[in-house]
Amino acid sequence: MKPSFEQESALTNSSEELRAGDMGDDEPLLPLAGLKVIDLTLARAGPTAVRHLADWGADVIRVEQPLGPPGSPALEDVVGKERGSDYQNLHRNKRSVRINLKDPAGKAVLLDLVKDADVLVENMRPAVKDRLGIGYKDLKLINPRLVYGSISGFGQEGPYRERPGLDQIAQGMSGLMSVTGFPDGMPTRTGIAVGDLTAGNMLALSVMMALFERSRTGVGRWVHTSLMEGLLFMMDFQTTRWLVDKEIPQRVGNAHPTAIPTDVFPTLDSHITVCAGSSRMWAKLCEGLGHPEWAERPEWLTRDGRRAHKAEIHKRIEEVTRTKSTQHWIETLNDRGVTCGPIYSMDEVFADEQVQSLAMVQPVQHPTLGRMNLLASPLNFDGIPRRIRKATPEGGADRDEILRELGYSPDKIESLKAAGAC
C-alpha cells in the first residue's frame, strides 16, 4: 500500500516529491508538503477549497480546459480571464496542464495522474462527471486511497441536483437575501460571493478530515458539500429563529435583529459602526456618549427592553454621534472597551496599520504580468512564514514537466500535443 502523505512528508527529502512544500534550506517545510492534489475546479467555490491546499504546500496540478482555435472569441475570453486579477488570486501556488477530458487519450492522462494522487477536487454538475467517467465510483477503482472532494449548487442528491447553481441563486434560496437590506427596500445580495467562499472553505475542511481518517484506515472517501448547504449553515441563528422560535427573520438594514444597539451611525465626517448588544456593553456605550443616565432608564435596562425601544435608542445615539468626528468616537469608545469601528473603502482597508501588521498582502512575480500584490492565506502556523511561493501559471505552462513525471516519452508527449489531447 502506498504510504500516507503524512509518512511521505516525514520521511522523504526528495525535491521532486516535495516540490510545492520545499521552501529552501532556510525555510521550514510546509504542513501539506508531499500531498498531491488534482484540481478540476471551475468558477470560485472549488478553487477556494484548493487554494487552501496549494497555499500550505500541496503539489496542486490544475487541469485546465483546452483552448479554442487561434483568433476565436473563445480563446480570447480564456486568455483574458486567466490573466485577470481574480484568476491570479485564486490559482497561485499551482502547476497547470490542459487536458481534453472528452478525448480518450486526454482522459487517460487524467487517470494516470489520479493513480498516485491524494486528493481530487471538482465542482461539476453530478451528471457531467458521471458522463465523463470521472466520478468517485470510477476513480476509487483506480486509486482506493483517493480523497475525492465535490462542490455543487444544491447537493449531490435531490430534485435540484442537476440545476446549475451560482452564488446569487443560493443566496436567494438559502434565505440570506431575505434578511439582507433595509426593511423598505428590495432583498439584497451580499457584496461578496459568500456562498462560493463558504462552500470552498467547508470542502477544504472536509478534505483534511478525510485525509486524517485515511491515515488510520488507508482508504479514501468522497466528501462533498454545496452552496445551499454552506449558506444554510452560515445562516446560523437566523435559521433557529424559525426552526425553534417559529419567527420569520426580516430585513433590518445595518442593525442587528436582536442585539440592540447594533447599527451604523452618522458622525460629523462619515459613519461609524457600533455593536453594544449586551447590558454591560450598553452601559459602557452610554458612558462614552456622555449619557450614563441612559443605562439607568428602567425601560432600557434589559436586552428585551432595548429591543422594544430600538427606534428611540438609535435616534438618541445618532443625535450624539453626528456632533463629532469618526476618529473621535473610535478613540473615545475603544478606550472604554466598546466594540466599534470605521467603515473603510478598500484603499483605506489596506492603509490601516492593523491590516498592514497582519501581512495579508503578499507580492509575487508573474512571468508575463510582472510584479503584483495578492491576498495571502488567512491561516497562521507558528514558525512558518506566510508567503505566496509561485504566481498563477499560464494555462498549460507545466504540461511537459507533468507528463514527464508520469513517465511519458518525448514521442508520446508530442503525439498527445498533436492530437489536441493535452
Side-chain angles (χ1 to χ4, degrees):
M1 179 179 292
K2 178 185 172 183
S4 70
F5 86 91
E6 295 92 344
Q7 293 169 322
E8 289 171 343
S9 298
L11 299 176
T12 179
N13 292 314
S14 165
S15 60
E16 195 66 23
E17 292 182 10
L18 296 183
R19 176 186 307 277
D22 186 355
M23 300 174 65
D25 295 338
D26 298 328
E27 300 280 5
L29 207 61
L30 290 174
L32 297 183
L35 186 73
K36 180 177 177 180
V37 178
I38 309 302
D39 179 7
L40 292 180
T41 66
L42 301 169
R44 185 176 310 281
T48 295
V50 178
R51 180 171 55 184
H52 285 298
L53 310 180
D55 280 350
W56 291 102
D59 177 16
V60 175
I61 298 175
R62 177 160 177 78
V63 177
E64 309 270 10
Q65 298 181 29
L67 291 173
S72 69
L75 173 60
E76 294 178 5
D77 287 346
V78 169
V79 173
K81 179 190 73 173
E82 291 182 357
R83 292 187 177 176
S85 59
D86 187 31
Y87 195 90
Q88 293 297 312
N89 199 47
L90 279 171
H91 298 296
R92 73 279 185 103
N93 293 328
K94 302 179 183 180
R95 296 191 288 161
S96 173
V97 60
R98 295 194 187 279
I99 299 178
N100 183 357
L101 297 178
K102 297 179 181 179
D103 184 303
K107 179 182 172 182
V109 174
L110 176 66
L111 298 184
D112 283 340
L113 286 171
V114 166
K115 287 177 182 177
D116 68 346
D118 296 286
V119 179
L120 181 145
V121 181
E122 59 83 25
N123 58 343
M124 306 173 189
R125 278 187 278 173
V128 174
K129 56 179 173 278
D130 291 340
R131 184 169 64 247
L132 291 172
I134 57 173
Y136 178 62
K137 68 179 187 299
D138 303 300
L139 299 190
K140 72 176 181 178
L141 299 176
I142 298 171
N143 180 358
R145 300 180 69 257
L146 183 69
V147 172
Y148 188 108
S150 300
I151 294 177
S152 61
F154 300 101
Q156 299 296 319
E157 299 295 338
Y160 300 162
R161 69 189 295 265
E162 294 300 337
R163 281 192 184 183
L166 295 177
D167 180 87
Q168 185 155 330
I169 308 305
Q171 287 196 35
M173 294 180 67
S174 66
L176 176 58
M177 290 175 66
S178 76
V179 298
T180 306
F182 288 87
D184 57 351
M186 294 177 62
T188 305
R189 69 180 294 275
T190 63
I192 60 170
V194 64
D196 286 337
L197 295 168
T198 297
N201 293 336
M202 296 295 181
L203 188 69
L205 175 61
S206 300
V207 165
M208 298 313 300
M209 293 169 71
L211 286 170
F212 181 77
E213 179 190 44
R214 192 187 72 177
S215 70
R216 299 195 309 268
T217 67
V219 179
R221 186 182 292 276
W222 184 25
V223 293
H224 53 86
T225 189
S226 64
L227 274 62
M228 178 65 82
E229 289 165 294
L231 280 182
L232 285 172
F233 174 81
M234 291 292 284
M235 289 295 288
D236 196 49
F237 81 100
Q238 297 282 35
T239 65
T240 59
R241 290 175 71 192
W242 164 247
L243 293 173
V244 177
D245 303 327
K246 299 306 177 185
E247 176 185 0
I248 298 178
Q250 303 296 317
R251 295 188 298 280
V252 292
N254 291 315
H256 192 280
T258 59
I260 311 302
T262 297
D263 210 336
V264 171
F265 298 98
T267 65
L268 186 64
D269 54 359
S270 57
H271 293 83
I272 186 173
T273 183
V274 176
C275 304
S278 69
S279 295
R280 179 170 169 270
M281 194 68 71
W282 165 239
K284 291 182 177 182
L285 175 63
C286 294
E287 180 185 349
L289 293 174
H291 288 277
E293 72 279 5
W294 288 355
E296 302 302 322
R297 290 184 58 166
E299 67 272 31
W300 295 356
L301 276 176
T302 66
R303 183 184 180 99
D304 287 343
R306 290 189 296 276
R307 187 178 180 186
H309 294 86
K310 170 184 166 182
E312 183 182 359
I313 290 173
H314 282 212
K315 179 181 178 183
R316 293 294 187 89
I317 294 173
E318 180 178 321
E319 290 171 351
V320 177
T321 58
R322 65 169 62 252
T323 64
K324 291 185 171 63
S325 70
T326 293
Q327 189 60 36
H328 168 85
W329 293 121
I330 295 296
E331 294 174 357
T332 299
L333 297 180
N334 271 298
D335 285 347
R336 287 167 173 77
V338 178
T339 46
C340 65
I343 299 172
Y344 285 152
S345 59
M346 197 53 63
D347 57 331
E348 293 170 325
V349 170
F350 290 104
D352 185 278
E353 60 183 357
Q354 179 62 33
V355 174
Q356 292 178 357
S357 75
L358 295 174
M360 283 296 293
V361 177
Q362 294 290 314
V364 69
Q365 185 71 29
H366 190 279
T368 302
L369 303 175
R371 183 182 172 88
M372 67 179 74
N373 287 326
L374 297 176
L375 193 63
S377 169
L379 308 181
N380 294 280
F381 288 80
D382 185 42
I384 300 178
R386 179 169 60 191
R387 67 184 182 89
I388 297 173
R389 306 180 308 282
K390 178 185 176 185
T392 296
E394 297 282 300
D398 305 292
R399 174 188 58 196
D400 289 3
E401 177 186 56
I402 292 168
L403 295 180
R404 285 196 300 269
E405 289 172 5
L406 292 176
Y408 289 11
S409 68
D411 287 346
K412 183 171 183 178
I413 292 173
E414 288 304 317
S415 67
L416 288 169
K417 293 180 190 178
C422 285

